[in-house]
Amino acid sequence: MLPAFIYARFSSLEQAKGHSLERQLEDGRAHIGRNGWEYHEDRELRDEGRSAFSGENRQPGSALYDFEQQTLAGAFKTGVVLVVENIDRLTRQGYEQAFDLLRQLTQNGVTVATTQDNQIYPAGDRIDMAKVMMVIIKAELALDESTKKSKRIKAVWKHKVDQAIAGNRQIVTPSIPAWLTIENEEIKAANKRVTVLREIYDWYCAGHGLSAIVNKLNSRKEANWTAVRKAQASGWNTTYIHRLLTNRSVLGEFRPFAHSRTHLKDELAGTVIPDYFPAVVTAEQFNRVQGLLIQRQRTGGKAQHTQKNLFSGIARCSECQGVMYYQNGQKVGTTVRRSNGKIHIHRTARSYLKCNNARRNHNCSNKTAIRYEVLVNAILDTFLSAVADDEFFKAKPAINRLREEIAEQERQKALKETQLNTVVENLVEAHSKALAHKAAQLETEVEELDAALSELRDKLKVEEGAASPEQVAEVVKNARAALESDDPEISYAARLKVHQVFQGLFSRITCFPDGETAAFVDGLAVWCFDKEGNMSGGQMI
């Protein structure tokens, strides 16, 4: 008795709402029973939402791809049956693909059986001419039908997108962001989910990392938003939180995506329709989050769980540029018995920053220990007193630098466009290969400059969305008093806020062998301190 596999497939996930898959499986089971083959539910192969016209159903990750790989590896040399509704369930890419696939299967031990026309293509047998002609005709008809369907889909989709660009807010697609809903043919905010979404943005701005946000949501049993049951059971995860924090749909933007099989993917690339969805997060907060995501890429690790070291990720050794590690030397309240028998209780904390490379005797001789508490207090005192009247902070050098870069890129782009127009005019007058090549080269350069400009403008939005120095000072002022709170939750929240400020403010803190430190902002050493925490200089390159 030959073991039989059933292969069932449909192209669009919209078809999942119907009975196509179950119909194919039921017909396959009945066909197996009629022919006396061996059935087992584990041998039911399903490809849902995978097109045979584009060849997705034969790409890695699909059930048919896995079956083909097993076939080529010789797993079915002893004989199996593959039951399928029609050959076009396997491929709709024309008769060459259909015939090649059929031969590949039958020559490697797989008998192919179709339920709709009750045809059998036995393993090891030469396919007779009548069946070959039938395969060719059906494959070409399937390809022709799919091509026409693709063109119809393209035309409909393009029309909908054009209407949306023109301001028509008719629903283009029922696939909308998870925090929105459709009511009476109108896209609206789902209030409970929007509340959760805003919480996620607020938490991240307050200093909580992705893992901390996941723990908060899962701890309170907040239902996640995926439609897949298995994923629902596993709760929230950091990947999904990151996706929510970077999804510009929260601003109301719609970026129409066209599947590659509609041949619209390149045509719609970069298309953005503003104010299509209800905006649920302000542009200022979204840009603030993007800036924080960039800042936090350079930090992480176990220290982040308690955030004891406010300089993690930015404190560096002047000699080797290595990381300065945090060493906790003395805790407040620790009891110590003196040599004379008296008991002493530490009333101050003593921690140090030391070069990690020097500690490991690896290419660095900087053995200096920087008093951590002295440096923290020196920087906080200096920042709070300077931020109100220090022109350096008010000027926001990063913003000025980006504006200068944008102006220069715009100048370069205008120059290239002028050159391109001149070349095109000359090309119209007298066609030459050299001019055509020059025009193509200039067109490429203009596109590259345009892409660079887009990236710079996004960076500028992030910088402009950052909090002002005065707002930052207010955060630091409120958090400073809570840094050493006896309540671990309060002190942790305060450390998160101050650490976030330091990450956004300083490009690095450099520690020298003589115990001095320099705080750099945007490449400039704005403050220098001696080992006692006294100001010893500043605003030098």
Side-chain angles (χ1 to χ4, degrees):
M1 184 181 291
L2 282 176
F5 288 80
I6 304 173
Y7 178 68
R9 178 198 62 78
F10 56 77
S11 300
S12 168
L13 288 174
E14 280 295 302
Q15 292 174 275
K17 298 174 184 177
H19 304 287
S20 174
L21 194 73
E22 194 52 45
R23 185 199 71 243
Q24 292 176 57
L25 293 171
E26 285 179 0
D27 289 349
R29 293 168 196 141
H31 201 66
I32 290 171
R34 284 193 298 270
N35 286 277
W37 296 319
E38 180 187 300
Y39 166 79
H40 195 282
E41 61 182 12
D42 290 344
R43 291 196 289 268
E44 290 184 353
L45 311 177
R46 308 166 188 232
D47 275 330
E48 302 179 38
R50 289 184 179 271
S51 167
F53 178 52
S54 67
E56 275 184 301
N57 68 318
R58 297 182 66 189
Q59 299 286 328
S62 69
L64 185 56
Y65 174 85
D66 292 340
F67 184 82
E68 282 189 65
Q69 294 306 303
Q70 291 179 62
T71 301
L72 294 172
F76 307 127
K77 285 294 185 183
T78 56
V80 296
V81 180
L82 179 64
V83 178
V84 63
E85 184 178 54
N86 254 324
I87 295 297
D88 66 4
R89 290 293 171 187
L90 300 175
T91 179
R92 296 176 73 95
Q93 293 185 304
Y95 75 87
E96 297 101 330
Q97 294 274 8
F99 189 64
D100 287 347
L101 176 57
L102 193 57
R103 280 209 311 168
Q104 174 185 290
L105 294 170
T106 57
Q107 288 176 1
N108 285 279
V110 180
T111 293
V112 178
T114 55
T115 61
Q116 198 167 77
D117 56 4
N118 197 30
Q119 292 294 319
I120 295 179
Y121 305 88
D125 285 5
R126 183 172 180 270
I127 304 173
D128 66 55
M129 185 57 68
K131 286 187 176 181
V132 169
M133 293 305 297
M134 191 59 68
V135 168
I136 289 173
I137 292 168
K138 287 187 175 181
E140 285 303 292
L141 286 173
L143 175 61
D144 186 54
E145 180 190 340
S146 293
T147 302
K148 289 177 181 176
K149 184 179 177 183
S150 176
K151 287 179 180 178
R152 288 196 301 271
I153 292 171
K154 175 182 176 180
V156 170
W157 182 243
K158 183 73 166 61
H159 176 71
K160 284 184 176 182
V161 171
D162 287 343
Q163 289 289 95
I165 292 171
N168 186 333
R169 288 301 173 257
Q170 184 178 356
I171 296 172
V172 174
T173 170
S175 298
I176 58 174
W179 57 89
L180 302 176
T181 185
I182 296 176
E183 295 178 12
N184 300 321
E185 299 300 315
E186 186 180 349
I187 300 174
K188 296 183 178 180
N191 292 333
K192 187 176 186 307
R193 288 191 172 188
V194 169
T195 300
V196 173
L197 181 68
R198 287 173 178 162
E199 275 186 308
I200 291 169
Y201 271 77
D202 289 341
W203 286 335
Y204 197 78
C205 286
H208 296 282
L210 302 181
S211 297
I213 293 172
V214 166
N215 289 337
K216 278 177 172 288
L217 294 170
N218 287 334
S219 295
R220 75 184 195 192
K221 309 295 184 191
E222 187 71 52
N224 69 8
W225 301 343
T226 179
V228 183
R229 289 183 182 178
K230 187 176 179 181
Q232 280 184 328
S234 63
W236 295 82
N237 58 70
T238 55
T239 301
Y240 192 72
I241 296 297
H242 185 272
R243 199 178 304 157
L244 292 177
L245 292 173
T246 54
N247 191 337
R248 297 187 66 87
S249 298
V250 300
L251 301 174
E253 292 181 7
F254 173 43
R255 295 171 181 252
F257 169 76
H259 198 283
S260 57
R261 67 174 177 266
T262 67
H263 309 295
L264 270 173
K265 196 169 185 179
D266 292 335
E267 193 173 334
L268 292 178
T271 301
V272 179
I273 304 173
D275 305 321
Y276 178 81
F277 298 122
V280 293
V281 171
T282 65
E284 290 77 14
Q285 188 172 40
F286 182 83
N287 289 331
R288 174 67 176 149
V289 166
Q290 305 321 298
L292 292 174
L293 285 165
I294 294 168
Q295 288 173 22
R296 294 178 190 176
Q297 284 176 357
R298 64 184 186 221
T299 62
K302 293 181 180 178
Q304 299 299 95
H305 291 229
T306 57
Q307 204 54 72
K308 285 290 185 184
N309 180 13
L310 299 178
F311 302 113
S312 65
I314 54 174
R316 298 278 172 172
C317 170
S318 66
E319 301 299 289
C320 66
Q321 304 306 312
V323 173
M324 300 293 288
Y325 77 95
Y326 172 84
Q327 184 181 68
N328 195 350
Q330 173 180 296
K331 294 181 180 179
V332 175
T334 303
T335 302
V336 178
R337 184 180 293 277
R338 303 287 194 194
S339 56
N340 59 9
K342 291 185 177 180
I343 302 295
H344 175 74
I345 300 175
H346 291 310
R347 301 191 183 280
T348 58
R350 282 184 177 273
S351 306
Y352 302 91
L353 294 177
K354 296 181 179 179
C355 176
N356 197 41
N357 285 334
R359 178 181 68 158
R360 298 184 294 115
N361 293 317
H362 177 66
N363 299 330
C364 189
S365 58
N366 184 5
K367 300 285 187 178
T368 303
I370 306 291
R371 272 292 307 278
Y372 172 79
E373 289 79 17
V374 170
L375 182 59
V376 168
N377 288 323
I379 287 182
L380 288 175
D381 287 340
T382 307
F383 172 71
L384 289 173
S385 62
V387 73
D389 54 16
D390 194 324
E391 293 302 317
F392 184 83
F393 286 101
K394 288 185 177 180
K396 287 196 172 183
I399 289 179
N400 291 337
R401 188 188 69 250
L402 283 168
R403 284 175 178 162
E404 288 171 4
E405 286 185 48
I406 288 170
E408 176 58 22
Q409 291 279 44
E410 286 174 339
R411 188 185 72 80
Q412 292 286 347
K413 183 187 172 189
L415 180 63
K416 295 291 182 186
E417 285 176 335
T418 301
Q419 292 174 349
L420 177 60
N421 291 336
T422 302
V423 171
V424 170
E425 286 173 6
N426 292 334
L427 194 58
V428 172
E429 293 289 329
H431 180 76
S432 78
K433 289 184 179 179
L435 284 174
H437 177 73
K438 183 64 176 175
Q441 182 183 347
L442 285 169
E443 197 168 43
T444 300
E445 289 174 4
V446 169
E447 289 174 356
E448 288 173 351
L449 285 167
D450 206 36
L453 268 170
S454 178
E455 188 177 339
L456 284 171
R457 286 176 183 135
D458 285 344
K459 287 181 179 178
L460 181 60
K461 286 178 184 177
V462 169
E463 289 293 339
E464 289 176 336
S468 68
E470 291 79 6
Q471 290 171 321
V472 173
E474 191 63 29
V475 170
V476 171
K477 210 178 288 183
N478 294 335
R480 187 175 187 183
L483 283 174
E484 302 303 327
S485 170
D486 292 334
D487 187 323
E489 287 294 322
I490 293 175
S491 63
Y492 174 63
R495 288 195 300 275
L496 278 177
K497 289 176 182 176
V498 175
H499 177 258
Q500 183 171 292
V501 168
F502 283 0
Q503 291 292 320
L505 181 62
F506 301 115
S507 50
R508 72 180 186 277
I509 304 289
T510 300
C511 304
F512 297 90
D514 60 3
E516 289 204 352
T517 52
F520 286 79
V521 175
D522 201 38
L524 298 177
V526 291
W527 300 321
C528 296
F529 305 97
D530 63 21
K531 60 184 179 181
E532 303 300 329
N534 301 311
M535 180 81 81
S536 60
Q539 297 227 5
M540 62 181 185
I541 295 178

